[in-house]
Amino acid sequence: MDTPALGPEVGPTVLPPGTKVGAWRVHGFGGRGSYGTVYSVSRLGPGPSTLAALKLAVHPGDSRFEREVELLSRIRHPSVPRLFDSGLWRDTLGRAYPYVVMEWIHGEPLYSWAARRNPSSRQVLALLAQAARALQATHEVSGVHRDVKGDNVLVRPEDGRLFLTDFGSGHFPGARRVTPLPMLPGTPAYRSPEMWQYIQRAGLDAASPLMALPSDDVFALGVMAYRLVTDSYPPSTHPYDAASRCWLPGGAGPVPPRQLNARVDAQLNALILRMLSPGPEARGTAGELAEAMERGVAHSGPSADVPLFEWETLEPSQWTEEEQAEAQLLGHRPRHRAAQRAREAARVDTAQRKPRRWRTWLAAALALGLWPARTASVLGDESSTPVPVSLGDTAPVSSEVPEKAPVQKGLAQQLPKDPLPGQLRPDSSGRCRKRLIAINGGCWAKVDVEPEDCLGHGYLYQGGCYAPFYTSKSEPASAPQEHQP
């Protein structure tokens, strides 16, 4: 443990360069999420200094860090970040904050990576195969990730290597609970139908929770793949949503991805539908799916090399105001989304989860650090300095609630009274740049979602959902995540 003599203004969210944390020295701020802050660090002492990623808990005694340390210590796979160290850091009041140090990886969140490169079905198959292999390695050590989603999957631009990150929500035999029964970790859109069905039957007084299974991870991988190739989520699995009927035993399952986007290769289409089978036994194991995906990469025909979406070809003078704003955020021209146009024309959205508009998703992704400026890193930080990997939420967990952390019954956190570290501030006249709102000394983007959907997108303020907007020099780690056990 490290007990440096620090001023009262220094805490887990504000560690200045040079601060010692265990055997590590802080170099700079990497980002902040709901439950942890990320710093770039190097090991103290003589010899070569290798950059690493340190995640420091925001709340003392956050047991989610124990989970990430345990799982990462068990897994050895090139698509899973390497664990270097863990320990406790104490503030000036003697409170102990757990931290974990991991491999530093320069990568982009999956959806951001895809939006910048417009991959083909073959490229998507190759990426999904890597994700499935990482899940296979997790399942083989009796672990379950429990929060597989696009924001927790990073792609290294230089070689296309995929990394599955944020194991703090994971489970393994003997792991202790940190949230009320019967809820399980996970992001709602990625939950398997059987998990929701259990929660509905059990109620809040369940004596024991449903244990997450490898088949739940496989289903979440299918949701991620569906979202990647169609720009929309499959129908909701929530039992109170009418669209969830397709997930009942013997149900038809989701609309095939190829029906929403004709550019999806037939083999990729079939594998996504397999992962999204209503019955968990029909999905197959992560290892079986990885083998099928790798065969698809090797043997698919020319149709698998067609980019999945059309790119915008209009001259800038013909772009709408909204498209110009998107281009400024993206760093390239907006693209036409063939799948989205086809979906709207066919009016099949009645069978789909309520879609989030592209501009809303983009604004939230940028504001929450999942889509920063030019270069990519672990948390979607695209400043010139890469951000460490395996930090879906900056804390070693994607969506769990620490035992001592205040929560709000499934709602997002209230907007903080002070700006977050690295957040853009209003100018001297008290105004923020166009499309942003000045609140409590910081610049915020209004996210077009209902308050009950704000969790995972931003913070609640006067009945609305707002995401912090960060400067290009210090992007945040990720969005606030859903509460989990």
Side-chain angles (χ1 to χ4, degrees), residues 77-92:
H77 193 273
S79 287
V80 176
R82 290 172 294 165
L83 174 69
F84 292 155
D85 192 13
S86 63
L88 297 174
W89 175 83
R90 293 188 181 276
D91 64 10
T92 54

Side-chain angles (χ1 to χ4, degrees), residues 149-304:
K149 60 182 178 181
D151 294 344
N152 289 340
V153 171
L154 306 170
V155 184
R156 192 162 56 192
E158 56 265 33
D159 59 4
R161 164 61 65 184
L162 177 145
F163 292 87
L164 178 62
T165 74
D166 204 353
F167 282 77
S169 297
H171 184 74
F172 50 87
R176 65 188 179 95
R177 296 187 56 82
V178 293
T179 54
L181 298 172
M183 295 302 292
L184 286 175
T187 300
Y190 296 80
R191 279 195 174 126
S192 67
E194 60 269 22
M195 188 177 294
W196 274 121
Q197 291 162 13
Y198 168 83
I199 293 171
Q200 183 186 34
R201 292 193 310 269
L204 295 178
D205 296 325
S208 61
L210 170 72
M211 299 303 295
L213 300 173
S215 57
D216 296 305
D217 280 349
V218 169
F219 185 87
L221 182 63
V223 174
M224 185 181 77
Y226 194 101
R227 162 69 175 77
L228 184 64
V229 303
T230 69
D231 273 344
S232 63
Y233 288 92
S236 170
T237 56
H238 196 291
Y240 296 125
D241 192 318
S244 68
R245 295 170 184 169
C246 70
W247 302 110
L248 294 174
V255 174
R258 207 173 186 191
Q259 185 173 328
L260 301 180
N261 185 355
R263 296 181 175 211
V264 177
D265 180 71
Q267 189 160 358
L268 175 57
N269 181 77
L271 284 169
I272 293 174
L273 290 177
R274 179 182 176 183
M275 290 185 283
L276 294 178
S277 297
E281 67 284 345
R283 295 170 198 156
T285 67
E288 292 168 346
L289 289 162
E291 291 178 5
M293 293 166 182
E294 289 161 357
R295 287 195 300 269
V297 172
H299 302 299
S300 292
S303 65

Side-chain angles (χ1 to χ4, degrees), residues 428-481:
S428 57
S429 65
R431 297 181 179 180
C432 295
R433 65 179 63 172
K434 189 176 181 181
R435 297 178 182 271
L436 298 180
I437 303 170
I439 307 174
N440 293 350
C443 293
W444 299 80
K446 181 71 178 294
V447 182
D448 186 19
V449 299
E450 297 299 324
E452 60 267 24
D453 295 326
C454 187
L455 187 62
H457 293 278
Y459 298 82
L460 291 173
Y461 179 73
Q462 295 185 353
C465 184
Y466 294 84
F469 196 94
Y470 290 82
T471 63
S472 61
K473 293 183 180 180
S474 54
E475 306 291 345
S478 81
Q481 303 290 326

